Each structure stands twice: as structure tokens, then as C-alpha cells.
């Protein structure tokens, strides 16, 4: 940290910071993120996980993969506020509904970026933390109601199980395929459940069967947790983001940040109060806060009219947790728009301004002009919660943040600093998509729109 004090003396001399403020900032800055914050997955697991991540074999109708919503070309997400999962084609902003099997609804929450989710400090995943470390649960991980782990798994691997059995994401609708039928019947776990039906599919593919035998030993049947484990290994390796200019600065490179970024950093860890929630090496406190983000899309079926999303409150059952969502990491945040659990804001500056006056921003959010939706063909309106005065009032009354006002120049400096959290090595992924996958199904490798 010696170089940090050298540069802070420069800030004091040039009037950027007072001496007292500079000393306070030094105490608040986190340690740099390093590879030691992550498990070290083996190459065999990573490469096997990559194939499965891009292989539509894991979806009920064999037409969508993990990468359809979490693609390296789109900073491990999809560039959309809300996606067309099952029933869509293409990826990113070109994704659209298929006329042969159109979607029933938009996916109700924004697809979050995957950067650094394999880090050991993460204890809860998804916007509402519904998959979380919990010593009271079987194998120490809590899953949503009606689901449980059949074998031990790390947190990220447990999370990877969920989209496979979500009807609007990968499973499909009842009557379309056996996996969707099992999900509809509530049969997810066990030898005859949906997860094991997916694993049996994978086991019928010789190349997958052979590679899992290399990992697990000959004669050991492929279990769904084996699949989830290698997918997590791939995500951990592919989307580790620890080599940003900010990390270089923390490790002693005084030239890593320009003056605007330095000013933004001093605001972030000082006056602006960003670090009260976005703390630690990955800029998250891993807690849940109510920001009053506008609720667009179909909602999660909560509330009397079904278009609400109670977030953490639905998981815990506590009224005081309604409308709270997990603090996201800000690594590569400049590339991962749209923002918020509903993807309500496509512009980073708009999202910052919302934080500064959430009640007003919520009240003035009209229509969907600040969102980015796919070509879905679904009947509207697509913001029913925002047309419900009582629901907007409930969202507003739950807000838990109170930050000081900032002027336009200060907001610009914050944006400049947030760009300094971009790790250029991670933004496209370290390996990228494979040319082919063992199932023989088409791979959307990002080079063309598969129309």
C-alpha cells in the first residue's frame, strides 16, 4: 500500500482530497482480488463443463443452452432486460421468439452476469439468494422449496441445477417433453425425477460418458451433480475477473487509473457512499437491499395480482425482506447492462441516478424506454406492476438506501471509476465457445445469428 500513500499525497497537493479524507480512503479500500480467492478447477472438468455449458442437450426441448442467456459475447449475460428463454432463438439483442414454439412469457428477472461467482466468499446466489449456504440444510446448501441436493456440491454448482428445471428457461412447458412433464408433476429429485432424466440423456452420448468416466471412475453412472459440478468449474475458470486496472492500482501500479478514475474512486469509497453496500474485493456486501428498482416484466407471481416480485421476502417469508435483492458484484459492470433485478435500466448513468433519488426515479419511470426487451411477440402490457398504484407505493415504501446527492461531474467520475473495474481478459471468456458439442446439436458460437 506504500504507492497508494504516494499517490494520495499527490491528491492532497492538487486539491483532489484533504489529508483527512485521503487517510480515511486508504482504510476503506479493499485488498486486490487474486486467484487465491477461487478454487482451482482441473482442466478436464473445465473443458467438459464448457461443452455442457454450450450444449442444448441439457434443455427439455434440446433447443437452448446455458450460453443462450450467459454468452461470452455479451459479458456472460445477454444484453437484455428480460429474456426469451424457452421458445426463443438467437442470443443477445438479436434473440427473438420462434413462431413454431413461441414463449409463454418473458423470463421474469434479468439474467445476471457470471463474473467471479465461483469465488469462495459468495454465500448466496440468484437475485433473491434462494440458493445459499446454510449449515442447517442437507449438504449445507439451501435450495428452493421442494428441491434438495442428493449429493454434496459447492454453491455455484448447486445454482447451475436450477435453470434446467425452470419451465420458462430451459425445461419447457408440460406436454412438450418428458423433462417438462416431470417438472410440472413436481418430480425433480430422485432416480425418476427431471434432473436424473437430463443426466440419463447425457450418459447416452458416448463422448460425455467416456469423459465422466475419466473423472469419476469406470462404471460410475453420471449423476446430475456431476454435470453441475463441471459446469461450475467452467464458469469459475472462464469468468474470473481479477485483472482490472483497479486491481493493478491496489497492487502498486500508480499509473493504472487516470485522474477521472481516481476522483471516482475517492467518491465511491467516500462521499458517494457506494461502498456501504458495494464493499470488499468484488464490490458486494453479499446482503439484500431494497432500491426501489422499477418492476417491469411479468413479475414472479407474488402479491394479490401476481405481477409483483417480492425478492428476498419470498425466500424468507419475512415482510421486512420484501423488495430486497442481493447486492451484485460490480466487476465488469460497465459491460453488463441492463441493470437491476428487472433490467429496468439500460444505461449505467441512469442506474446511478436512480440510487441517488430512488423514490423520484421510481415515480417518474414511464413506459419501457429505458429497458431493452427482445422481439418477443407477447401481448402487453409488459409493465403491469408499474401501472398498479398500490404496488408502486409498496415498492417505494420498502426502499432502504439513502445516499447523498451528486452533481453531473461527480456522476461522470463514478462512471469512469466503474470502467476501471473491467478486466479485459475475462470479458470474452478465456476459452470461448467450442466449435461443436458431443450431442451434435447446433452450437450458438456467437459468430452469426442462427436464423
Amino acid at each position: 500500500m506504500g504507492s497508494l500513500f504516494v499517490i494520495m499525497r499527490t491528491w492532497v497537493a492538487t486539491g483532489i482530497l484533504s489529508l483527512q479524507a485521503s487517510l480515511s480512503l486508504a482504510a476503506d479500500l479493499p485488498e486486490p482480488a487474486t486467484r487465491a480467492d477461487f478454487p482451482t478447477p482441473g482442466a478436464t472438468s473445465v473443458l467438459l463443463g464448457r461443452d455442457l455449458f454450450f450444449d442444448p442437450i441439457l434443455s427439455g426441448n434440446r433447443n437452448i443452452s446455458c450460453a443462450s442467456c450467459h454468452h461470452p459475447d455479451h459479458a456472460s449475460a445477454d444484453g437484455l432486460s428480460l429474456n426469451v428463454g424457452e421458445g426463443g432463438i438467437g442470443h443477445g439483442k438479436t434473440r427473438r421468439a420462434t413462431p413454431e414454439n413461441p414463449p409463454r412469457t418473458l423470463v421474469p428477472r434479468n439474467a445476471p452476469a457470471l463474473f467471479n461467482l465461483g469465488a469462495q466468499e459468495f454465500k448466496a446466489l440468484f437475485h433473491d439468494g434462494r440458493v445459499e449456504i446454510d449449515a442447517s440444510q442437507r449438504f449445507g446448501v439451501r435450495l428452493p422449496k421442494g428441491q434438495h441436493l442428493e449429493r454434496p456440491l459447492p454453491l455455484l454448482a448447486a445454482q447451475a441445477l436450477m435453470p434446467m428445471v425452470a419451465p420458462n428457461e430451459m425445461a419447457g412447458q408440460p406436454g412438450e417433453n418428458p423433462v417438462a412433464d416431470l417438472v410440472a408433476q413436481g418430480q425433480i429429485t430422485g432416480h425418476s425425477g427431471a434432473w436424473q432424466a437430463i443426466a440419463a440423456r447425457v450418459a447416452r452420448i458416448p463422448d460425455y460418458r467416456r469423459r465422466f468416466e475419466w473423472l469419476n471412475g469406470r462404471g460410475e453412472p453420471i449423476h446430475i451433480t456431476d454435470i453441475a459440478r463441471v459446469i461450475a468449474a467452467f464458469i469459475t475458470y472462464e469468468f474470473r475477473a481479477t485483472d482490472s486496472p483497479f486491481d493493478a492500482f491496489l497492487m502498486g501500479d500508480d499509473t493504472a487509473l487516470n485522474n477521472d478514475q481516481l476522483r471516482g474512486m475517492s467518491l465511491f469509497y467516500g462521499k458517494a457512499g457506494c461502498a456501504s453496500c458495494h464493499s470488499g474485493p468484488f464490490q458486494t456486501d453479499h446482503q439484500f437491499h431494497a432500491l426501489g428498482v422499477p418492476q417491469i416484466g411479468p413479475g414472479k407471481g407474488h402479491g394479490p395480482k401476481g405481477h409483483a416480485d417480492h425478492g428476498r421476502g419470498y425466500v424468507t417469508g419475512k415482510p421486512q425482506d420484501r423488495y430486497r435483492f442481493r447486492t451484485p458484484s460490480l466487476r465488469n459492470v460497465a459491460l453488463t447492462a441492463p441493470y437491476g433485478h428487472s433490467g429496468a435500466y439500460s444505461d449505467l448513468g441512469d442506474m446511478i441516478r436512480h440510487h441517488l433519488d430512488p423514490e423520484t426515479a421510481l415515480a417518474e419511470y414511464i413506459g419501457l424506454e429505458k429497458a431493452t426487451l427482445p422481439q418477443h411477440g407477447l401481448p402487453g402490457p409488459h409493465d403491469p406492476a408499474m401501472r398498479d398504484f398500490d404496488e408502486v407505493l409498496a415498492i417505494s415504501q420498502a426502499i432502504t438506501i439513502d445516499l447523498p446527492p451528486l452533481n453531473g461531474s461527480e456522476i461522470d467520475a463514478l462512471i469512469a471509476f466503474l470502467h476501471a473495474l473491467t478486466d479485459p481478459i475475462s470479458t470474452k471468456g478465456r476459452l470461448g465457445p467450442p466449435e461443436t458439442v458431443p450431442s451434435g446439436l447446433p452450437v450458438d458460437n456467437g459468430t452469426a445469428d442462427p436464423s
Side-chain angles (χ1 to χ4, degrees):
M1 288 294 239
S3 61
L4 177 56
F5 286 101
V6 171
I7 203 164
M8 280 201 270
R9 283 198 296 270
T10 302
W11 295 348
V12 172
T14 58
I16 294 177
L17 282 178
S18 68
L19 178 59
Q20 182 179 5
S22 69
L23 293 174
S24 175
L25 177 60
D28 290 338
L29 288 176
E31 293 296 317
T34 70
R35 296 183 185 184
D37 294 310
F38 299 81
T40 304
T44 301
S45 293
V46 169
L47 292 172
L48 179 52
R50 177 179 75 156
D51 282 353
L52 287 162
F53 186 87
F54 286 93
D55 197 332
I57 193 67
L58 300 183
S59 63
N61 291 323
R62 297 176 171 86
N63 63 346
I64 185 172
S65 71
C66 306
S68 299
C69 297
H70 298 283
H71 202 282
D73 280 2
H74 304 286
S76 79
D78 59 18
L80 293 167
S81 298
L82 304 171
N83 205 334
V84 174
E86 171 58 42
I89 188 171
H91 69 88
K93 294 179 182 179
T94 67
R95 190 160 178 81
R96 60 196 182 278
T98 58
E100 302 81 12
N101 182 31
R104 306 284 181 90
T105 182
L106 292 170
V107 175
R109 288 179 181 160
N110 175 257
L114 302 181
F115 296 112
N116 294 329
L117 296 187
Q120 293 159 346
E121 72 170 54
F122 282 80
K123 304 301 181 186
L125 295 175
F126 288 111
H127 291 291
D128 56 12
R130 64 187 182 274
V131 174
E132 60 185 321
I133 299 297
D134 184 340
S136 71
Q137 298 296 304
R138 188 181 188 188
F139 301 124
V141 176
R142 179 186 294 276
L143 300 186
K145 185 178 179 180
Q147 302 174 31
H148 62 269
L149 289 183
E150 298 176 349
R151 298 181 182 180
L153 275 183
L155 183 68
L156 181 56
Q159 184 272 341
L161 293 169
M162 299 296 107
M164 300 182 210
V165 291
N168 294 324
E169 295 183 38
M170 294 180 74
Q173 303 298 328
E176 293 180 351
N177 64 76
V179 171
D181 291 342
L182 289 168
V183 171
Q185 295 162 16
Q187 299 181 42
I188 293 176
T189 60
H191 293 299
S192 58
W195 276 333
Q196 207 49 34
I198 296 169
R201 257 192 209 176
V202 172
R204 288 193 288 268
I205 299 171
D207 187 56
Y208 280 137
R209 188 168 62 248
R210 180 173 60 254
R211 291 162 73 184
F212 273 112
E213 285 182 348
W214 292 342
L215 283 176
N216 300 334
R218 290 187 177 277
E220 185 69 24
I222 297 175
H223 191 267
I224 192 64
T225 54
D226 299 323
I227 293 170
R229 190 180 295 274
V230 296
I231 289 175
F234 168 70
I235 293 171
T236 298
Y237 176 81
E238 184 80 344
F239 299 117
R240 176 177 55 79
T242 57
D243 296 301
S244 70
F246 182 55
D247 291 303
F249 174 79
L250 292 177
M251 289 187 283
D253 182 356
D254 296 342
T255 66
L257 304 183
N258 61 36
N259 285 341
D260 288 338
Q261 291 168 338
L262 291 171
R263 182 172 180 237
M265 182 181 72
S266 71
L267 287 163
F268 188 96
Y269 288 99
K271 170 186 173 181
C274 307
S276 60
C277 297
H278 293 286
S279 56
F282 301 113
Q283 288 72 50
T284 173
D285 62 0
H286 302 289
Q287 299 302 310
F288 300 85
H289 304 279
L291 274 62
V293 171
Q295 179 58 51
I296 66 171
K300 291 287 285 184
H302 306 157
K305 298 179 183 178
H307 50 229
D309 186 341
H310 288 169
R312 184 65 174 170
Y314 185 76
V315 175
T316 66
K318 298 177 180 178
Q320 64 267 32
D321 286 341
R322 288 179 185 169
Y323 307 108
R324 294 184 181 228
F325 296 90
R326 184 174 61 84
T327 305
S329 167
L330 297 185
R331 293 313 184 107
N332 293 336
V333 67
L335 307 177
T336 57
Y339 305 103
H341 74 277
S342 65
Y345 293 105
S346 297
D347 179 79
L348 184 56
D350 284 341
M351 189 62 190
I352 292 173
R353 284 183 280 272
H354 177 97
H355 280 69
L356 301 176
D357 189 358
E359 291 91 348
T360 300
L362 176 65
E364 294 181 350
Y365 192 94
I366 305 297
L368 297 165
E369 291 85 359
K370 294 186 177 182
T372 302
L373 295 177
Q375 301 174 41
H376 50 75
L378 294 164
H382 299 292
D383 56 351
M386 297 303 295
R387 297 164 185 259
D388 180 345
F389 176 83
D390 291 336
E391 181 60 23
V392 174
L393 181 61
I395 295 171
S396 181
Q397 290 176 333
I399 291 170
T400 57
I401 60 168
D402 184 16
L403 298 174
L406 299 175
N407 61 37
S409 173
E410 290 170 323
I411 292 172
D412 289 343
L414 277 179
I415 293 173
F417 171 65
L418 293 177
H419 276 270
L421 299 177
T422 299
D423 171 4
I425 298 172
S426 69
T427 54
K428 289 286 187 179
R430 287 171 167 75
L431 296 174
E435 292 295 322
T436 61
V437 289
S439 70
L441 293 168
V443 177
D444 180 6
N445 62 16
T447 59
D449 183 16
S451 51

